[in-house]
Amino acid sequence: MSEMLKGGAAALVLAATAACGASEAPKPEAEIASQIELPEIEISDAELEGNPFRAEWTGTYGVPPFAEIKDEHYMPAVKKGIVEMRAEIDAIVNNPDEPTFENTILALEKTGQSLDKVIRVFGNITNTDTNDTLNQLEGEIYPMLTREQDAVTFNPKLFARVKAVYDQRDRLGLDEQEARLLELTHRNFVRAGAGLPPAAQAEIAQLNAEISGLTTTYGQNLLNATNAFKLEITDPARLGGLTDDFKNAVKVEGEDKWAVGLSRSFFEGFMSSAEDRELRSQLFDGYRNVASSGDYDNGPLAIKLAQLRAKRAELMGYKSHAHYVLEQRMAHTPEAALEFLQKVLEPGLKRAAEEQADMEQIAGHEILGHDWWFYSEKVRQDKYAFDENQLRPYFQLDATFDGAFEVASRLFNISIEEVSVPGWNPAVKSYEVKDAATGEHLGLFMVDMYARSSKRGGAWMSSYRSSSDMDGERIRPIITNNMNLVTPAAGQPTLLSPTEVETLFHEFGHGLHGLLTQIRYPSFSGVYGGPDYVEFPSQVMEHWWSEPQVLAMYARHHQTGQVIPMELVDKMNNASTFNQGFKTTEFIAASLIDLHWHMLSSEEAAKITSARDFELEVLRKYNIPEIIEPRYRSTYFSHIFAGGYSAGYYSYLWAEILDADGFDAFKQSGDIFNPEIAAKLKQWVFESGGLRETDELYRNFRGSDPGIEPLLRNRGFGEPSPAEG
């Protein structure tokens, strides 16, 4: 919801998750009334006294005063922000002047700024440093915001004014960004249901409220279930295969035991190295069964969310939730997304079968799901004489950031320097980003890299402030990157696996998308577009980390300072497509589960009684082998049930078409920092936000539509690039 509030109340409308088929002229005011009955909100000056959200933040870079913000400050600030936003909307609606771009569209874009200020902090802190009080507040605040969002969407007088301006758009003399703001504002009112009959709007508002509550509960269940699981080991003899760094990281302080949790970094590290097969089986089962039973069972919530989304989509005139979502994405239809996935799945399954045979030859017995990581490492070492643990000493966290910063500086002519700024947690580091040529401040980049029990899993980018340039007031963004790395023992460096290095470059790509934006209006500045495009700027940045030229910049042994040996780099690159059958299959399996949940009609969804039975049926339909678990089961698939990727998880792979094709332009030129190509990438991708439709932005950068061949080639399923021999 914090991202939905980007840009104030206007973006509440722009990010609405319901839709209708076509725009209808609003009915005469006498025949229609707002469908949302808003309760009165009373908030006194005494309740707001000393509240940091009501003060101007004058600290360095406008960073929130985290040390001053207490849990009890959120609700009063939210209530006051809602009251102010309502007044701002009323002023637009009741303006006696004829609707204009300035008094309606621009005025709407400026509403809700005090609410946005508190919700951004609340949304970020509940992701990184939550507690029982904040969990309870989520259950109260987010339904309130959904109700306010719907009140804006379904305000007939407001939509009438927006439509009046839109209908005369060709006569207004708007510049490109103004015209785009008008287009998107109208489009998203329509897609949110502003043109539907009052009865349908009322039902949709109720569905939105239910969905908001369930997604919040789903996320909290997952965090609680994840924290509740620990694989405890008391016999040191059972730690065979694990590195000293890993054992030190999971050692229980003051006790003679070790506890391994379900963070993906811990999970993959243990599954790849632990020699004790029974322990691997226990952790594997803990991971794949998380939040699937007991007090934190997310299975019923997944079913209910699918049912509510299907019902809402039908009210809006769509065949399914997936058909609604993908209408504005690059795939356009779920059928096209499925066709794409199957094209990649076919070679993926074939390769996975070959990988399984190789592992069973080494193991000397049939392998099961909990064996895959362990024996794939054995095969890697056998085939390529390459052990990923050989790389860790060369990938120290701060040095890796230096490498990412150097890549960005060379591509985009920016400078990035560490600055001292108080963060929300002692682990946070901050960096100022400037235009290298002019010295102009472009934004603040804040990173929070380590796992803790109060932090949700995974890796993500977010923001505490978006960019805007309205009325001559130039505001630059505050962008964050978050990961869940294992905290090293005291005095020891943070050393990364290749996967973690790639993830760091990925999230930094998202960060650059937010930092470099040159868009005037918050509603479409920075990170904009569906996941099938949004993942392109992040995934294209992944390509640089393993290039020999780039590794020479930052990959140095943390003790000796020696640059990573080319022999090791060659082994790593030779093994780069290793295990791609497994990786491709587990990803596509999850994507298929997502699409099929959201392609259900309301009638079909009503018949589902078991989330596990449903996903098994999907996996059997596509011949996914039982030995390969989908990357996410329905009970811990937070991307689609507690995040913004419903019917869109496939987008990571779709975006790989773009990133593989985009990086291919650099490779074919013979210069991975080609200034002409980099300038186009910066202008049309990293700076342009949602200035134009995403396929047009890509064509402006690349000069043509992308092809699938570079993607298949990068995964080892196609012929090598001519430039690479």
Side-chain angles (χ1 to χ4, degrees), residues 190-484:
V190 172
R191 280 179 57 78
L196 289 174
Q201 291 182 348
E203 190 169 356
I204 288 167
Q206 178 59 39
L207 292 171
N208 287 343
E210 289 186 66
I211 290 169
S212 176
L214 288 175
T215 55
T216 299
T217 303
Y218 183 104
Q220 292 177 350
N221 280 352
L222 179 54
L223 179 62
N224 290 332
T226 299
N227 288 336
F229 179 90
K230 287 288 186 296
L231 175 64
E232 294 193 347
I233 305 166
T234 56
D235 182 359
R238 304 190 74 182
L239 300 174
L242 299 173
T243 66
D244 289 340
D245 286 344
F246 189 94
K247 288 185 285 189
N248 290 335
V250 300
K251 180 74 166 58
V252 178
E253 188 174 356
E255 299 185 51
D256 291 328
K257 66 180 179 181
W258 297 259
V260 184
L262 297 180
S263 164
R264 191 75 183 189
S265 293
F266 286 99
F267 176 77
E268 291 192 357
F270 189 90
M271 297 300 292
S272 299
S273 303
E275 295 170 354
D276 191 311
R277 194 181 189 207
E278 176 58 30
L279 290 179
R280 295 202 310 269
S281 177
Q282 290 177 28
L283 186 62
F284 182 70
D285 287 342
Y287 189 89
R288 65 180 180 163
N289 293 319
V290 70
S292 63
S293 62
D295 293 340
Y296 304 132
D297 188 357
N298 272 338
L301 297 185
I303 294 171
K304 187 64 175 178
L305 281 165
Q307 292 170 342
L308 295 175
R309 288 167 175 169
K311 177 63 176 175
R312 184 177 61 185
E314 289 179 1
L315 284 169
M316 308 303 269
Y318 287 89
K319 184 178 178 181
S320 72
H321 178 71
H323 285 85
Y324 155 67
V325 168
L326 296 188
E327 182 183 56
Q328 295 296 316
R329 304 282 168 81
M330 296 181 80
H332 297 302
T333 68
E335 291 80 10
L338 286 174
E339 181 181 359
F340 160 67
L341 290 174
Q342 287 177 278
K343 285 181 181 178
V344 187
L345 178 61
E346 183 178 349
L349 287 172
K350 181 180 178 182
R351 179 64 56 81
E354 296 169 355
E355 293 165 356
Q356 182 178 349
D358 287 343
M359 288 186 288
E360 290 182 344
Q361 184 175 359
I362 282 184
H365 58 76
E366 179 185 9
I367 66 169
L368 301 177
H370 58 267
D371 295 316
W372 195 291
W373 287 267
F374 183 76
Y375 283 107
S376 68
E377 280 304 304
K378 298 295 185 187
V379 174
R380 188 201 306 269
Q381 293 171 30
D382 181 63
K383 278 194 168 185
Y384 301 99
F386 174 64
D387 180 355
E388 282 201 343
N389 286 323
Q390 294 175 284
L391 295 176
R392 279 187 180 271
Y394 297 94
F395 294 131
Q396 193 270 337
L397 177 61
D398 290 339
T400 302
F401 265 121
D402 289 342
F405 294 165
E406 179 65 18
V407 168
S409 297
R410 292 197 184 191
L411 287 172
F412 305 131
N413 197 29
I414 59 177
S415 66
I416 305 174
E417 294 183 2
E418 186 172 357
V419 291
S420 179
V421 177
W424 55 92
N425 187 283
V428 175
K429 286 190 173 184
S430 299
Y431 303 86
E432 183 180 14
V433 182
K434 295 180 179 180
D435 184 301
T438 65
E440 178 189 4
H441 173 76
L442 295 177
L444 186 69
F445 180 55
M446 307 180 77
V447 301
D448 184 352
M449 292 289 105
Y450 296 103
R452 48 186 178 270
S453 61
S454 62
K455 190 178 185 182
R456 74 172 175 90
W460 68 96
M461 168 267 185
S462 188
S463 65
Y464 277 94
R465 184 177 69 197
S466 63
S467 175
S468 66
D469 191 5
M470 298 183 290
D471 297 334
E473 184 182 8
R474 185 168 172 80
I475 297 173
R476 295 307 298 172
I478 300 173
I479 301 296
T480 77
N481 270 183
N482 297 269
M483 289 179 63
N484 272 276

Side-chain angles (χ1 to χ4, degrees), residues 583-613:
K583 292 178 180 178
T584 299
T585 302
E586 70 155 2
F587 175 85
I588 292 180
S591 301
L592 293 169
I593 289 171
D594 169 33
L595 282 171
H596 281 278
W597 270 122
H598 294 110
M599 289 175 67
L600 294 170
S601 67
S602 60
E603 183 178 351
E604 291 168 335
K607 297 176 182 177
I608 307 297
T609 58
S610 165
R612 181 58 180 159
D613 288 347

Side-chain angles (χ1 to χ4, degrees), residues 22 49 51 168 179 194 202 284 306 362 379 401 466 473 486 507 516 518 541 568 611 633 636 662 712 724:
E49 186 175 355
N51 192 308
Q168 55 178 319
F284 182 70
I362 282 184
V379 174
F401 265 121
S466 63
E473 184 182 8
V486 176
E507 297 305 334
L516 300 183
Q518 293 297 317
M541 289 300 296
L568 198 55
R633 285 189 180 185
Y636 55 94
L712 296 175
E724 301 173 70

Side-chain angles (χ1 to χ4, degrees), residues 148-166:
E148 298 299 323
Q149 172 188 331
D150 287 337
V152 174
T153 300
F154 299 139
N155 186 314
K157 293 182 180 180
L158 181 60
F159 181 50
R161 291 185 69 91
V162 169
K163 189 175 187 303
V165 179
Y166 181 76

